[in-house]
Amino acid sequence: MKKILISLSIIFTLFLGVSCSDYLNVNNNVDTPDEVVPNLRLAPILCGFVSNYYDLRSVGCIDQYFSGNGTGGLTFGASMSYPAATDYAEVWKMVYYEWGQNLEDMINQAKTQKQPLYAGIGLALKAYGWYELTSIHGDAPCKEFLDPGRTVFDYDSQEYILSQSRLWAQQAIAILSAPDVTTYPASITSTDLMYKGDRTKWLKFAYGVLAKNYMTMSSTTTIDQGGIRKNYLDSAINAANNSMTSYTDDATVMVAGGTNSVTCNFWGVLRGNLTTTLGQSDYIVDVMTGKVKFYDASGNTATNGNVTQLMAKQYVTDTLTLDPRSICYFGTTDTIPTDLTKINVKTYKFTGTFPGQGVQVTFMGTTSAPSAATSGTGRWLYRDNAPYIVMTYAELQFIKAEAQFRKGLTSDALTTFQNAVAASMQTTANYIVPGTVVRGAKNKQTSVIGDKIPVATFNALAQAYLNSQYVNGLTVSNFELAHIMMQKYVALYPWGLDTWNDLRRYQYDLKVGSTGIPSAADGSWTAQRTYYKADTDPTRVYKGFYLSSADVSTRRATYGGFVTADLGSPSYRILPRYNSEYIWNVSALAALKPISGLAANYNTSMVWFCLTPQ
């Protein structure tokens, strides 16, 4: 793995659209400064979070946030195979190349120069980056990755990397909790693109990293002895309690926008990454409109006339109850009603895309690729200057609710769950952009630039939804783990990489044998199909969720890569970055077990945290 360090000035210019001389004029040669102080390193490092959105092209297809018929990584969720000789592993690049030595120098220089705030921020980011990298890729070089004397970098286990992530988060917490009388430059409010130098919020962020880490490994064998597993649930609750306290603490990275695509959000109109090849999946649309399908014993959908039969019990909403987040999340060609008070479940029609099919409507609500003329600068999180979301208060509340539920604290879990859904509504409303009606001949409304619901209307509908049987109307007697996890699934749409962690922790809801671990021998899959617990099974968490290879009538894909390489198994990790590992670090990859990193089905090698059932 070559330690290629991306130029700080290049990154800063690309993502913020500001002059290099404004920030890096530390000597006569701005390209090779004698020293780059911590304050100047921070903004380029934070800009690296665009990598999350790159990798969501693959991860989001696996967890069925997205679907479509795009090429390369965009078909990952449909085929369950990974395109060979491609560099889709952007978080890998972020952690090793863009952050790498730059982040280490920021932390070390901050300590030397007695600027503990920057050291604490750097350690919190380091903890987050490595947590994210091992979540996606499993094993990875960690101990040796900055060793200048090596040309081959041995892989470390996911268990080890997660422990290091916790250590760095705890070090960040210790630093950020201590008194600090240092006077920091006023420019920290502009170079800290996440919290503008707010020490308290960075401390909460570090605790949030811990909460995510504890929950991700909360079912592993090594902590399921003598009650230790329970303690990890307690640790997740404690970390969440010390973390964010409202949606105003959400961790987001500022994006400049403008007329240059490289300074715009990855999902914005100008970047052109959300066109007609990647759209909202049929599953997420069904979940949020109360239309999760019922399948009979043969895996076929039943119909009553021309109407598809739905599951008797829906977990997020039904066809009579509007979840207004859907209006922000999904694209629709429908226009804004004249009377906004009449927005209801029938106002907008949302169409989801099946795996491998073409997108019928884009996230901007168009039937062709969005442009400035049809979509302006975009809408909601699909806007040129929308921030990158990294972590939210709602997410951490769902983690707490899950931990409480699994500990048997059902009443406490219900209260936390209700708070989490309310927080998700607040986060969603925070990014609504007032819609501008576009009119054509005879003053007829032809399209809308921006969101199709005003904030005030959204908030009113959100309160009505919160008062429904799906949130505040739930009681302890009918409250299930599925409510928590499916609402978390919705709340992390479309930015949450951790949704894949959750699906793998619960084994994709596949049929399992006595070990609780999916396998071909236990009937979890064959070379052609994957098989699932019945939706009526109380242990099934994600009701109606089926991978593209599932033996149900809306799936049953037989993609070549899935059949010939993966031997029927779903993917459990994304391959490392091709140019670094498959060119420079082949011998280390070959040594991985039980499946070699050079094997065609390495992506099916189960990651450590899902090797023991919940």
Side-chain angles (χ1 to χ4, degrees), residues 319-382:
T319 57
L320 300 177
T321 307
L322 173 65
D323 183 338
R325 290 173 295 184
S326 60
I327 304 173
C328 296
Y329 286 8
F330 306 139
T332 172
T333 57
D334 295 325
T335 54
I336 297 178
T338 303
D339 186 350
L340 295 176
T341 65
K342 293 184 178 180
I343 291 179
N344 57 47
V345 292
K346 297 181 180 180
T347 301
Y348 298 108
K349 179 182 179 182
F350 304 114
T351 303
T353 300
F354 289 83
Q357 293 188 347
V359 174
Q360 298 180 55
V361 58
T362 71
F363 284 98
M364 305 301 171
T366 59
T367 54
S368 58
S371 66
T374 62
S375 307
T377 61
R379 62 174 196 84
W380 199 56
L381 293 179
Y382 321 116

Side-chain angles (χ1 to χ4, degrees), residues 15-310:
F15 287 96
L16 295 183
V18 297
S19 169
C20 295
S21 61
D22 291 341
Y23 291 94
L24 297 180
N25 190 18
V26 294
N27 62 13
N28 291 331
N29 187 346
V30 298
D31 295 318
T32 57
D34 294 334
E35 181 178 86
V36 180
V37 296
N39 187 46
L40 301 182
R41 291 186 184 275
L42 183 54
I45 287 169
L46 288 171
C47 289
F49 276 115
V50 67
S51 298
N52 293 10
Y53 284 47
Y54 273 97
D55 279 354
L56 276 163
R57 293 177 303 173
S58 293
V59 173
C61 287
I62 300 172
D63 60 34
Q64 298 196 26
Y65 277 170
F66 306 140
S67 195
N69 60 355
T71 58
L74 302 187
T75 63
F76 195 93
S79 68
M80 283 295 158
S81 61
Y82 195 85
T86 53
D87 269 338
Y88 287 108
E90 291 287 330
V91 168
W92 186 283
K93 183 180 76 171
M94 176 187 79
V95 171
Y96 287 117
Y97 308 153
E98 295 172 359
W99 288 10
Q101 190 66 58
N102 292 321
L103 188 54
E104 293 299 308
D105 287 346
M106 174 179 151
I107 295 168
N108 294 331
Q109 289 170 355
K111 291 177 179 178
T112 301
Q113 297 171 13
K114 300 188 185 307
Q115 295 182 328
L117 175 58
Y118 291 113
I121 291 172
L123 283 163
L125 289 171
K126 185 176 180 179
Y128 186 95
W130 281 96
Y131 163 77
E132 195 167 67
L133 180 139
T134 196
S135 293
I136 297 172
H137 298 285
D139 300 1
C142 182
K143 297 174 185 175
E144 303 167 346
F145 91 102
L146 286 178
D147 185 342
R150 300 186 67 89
T151 56
V152 174
F153 297 82
D154 295 335
Y155 276 57
D156 298 296
S157 68
Q158 184 178 69
E159 180 180 9
Y160 172 79
I161 297 172
L162 285 172
S163 71
Q164 287 299 110
S165 170
R166 292 193 301 279
L167 174 63
W168 293 321
Q170 289 158 352
Q171 290 174 346
I173 288 167
I175 292 172
L176 295 169
S177 299
D180 182 5
V181 296
T182 308
T183 300
Y184 294 94
S187 58
I188 191 174
T189 59
S190 59
T191 56
D192 180 357
L193 304 177
M194 187 176 288
Y195 286 134
K196 299 183 178 181
D198 190 323
R199 184 188 198 87
T200 301
K201 290 188 176 183
W202 275 110
L203 176 60
K204 294 176 180 179
F205 177 84
Y207 272 112
V209 177
L210 273 184
K212 287 157 70 75
N213 192 311
Y214 285 131
M215 183 51 68
T216 292
M217 63 176 199
S218 63
S219 63
T220 54
T221 302
T222 54
I223 61 170
D224 196 14
Q225 306 294 328
I228 299 176
R229 175 174 171 180
K230 176 181 177 181
N231 291 340
Y232 272 78
L233 294 176
D234 290 338
S235 295
I237 293 170
N238 180 68
N241 285 340
N242 283 284
S243 188
M244 301 175 184
T245 55
S246 80
Y247 78 98
T248 60
D249 291 332
D250 288 354
T252 63
V253 176
M254 182 183 73
V255 173
T259 57
N260 188 334
S261 66
V262 294
T263 67
C264 292
N265 188 292
F266 186 78
W267 287 339
V269 174
L270 208 54
R271 290 285 284 266
N273 291 311
L274 295 181
T275 59
T276 56
T277 58
L278 190 67
Q280 58 225 21
S281 79
D282 63 313
Y283 178 68
I284 185 65
V285 170
D286 286 350
V287 167
M288 294 197 66
T289 55
K291 296 179 180 178
V292 178
K293 300 173 182 66
F294 168 78
Y295 296 93
D296 62 23
S298 299
N300 297 317
T301 53
T303 58
N304 183 6
N306 293 323
V307 179
T308 299
Q309 186 175 342
L310 307 178

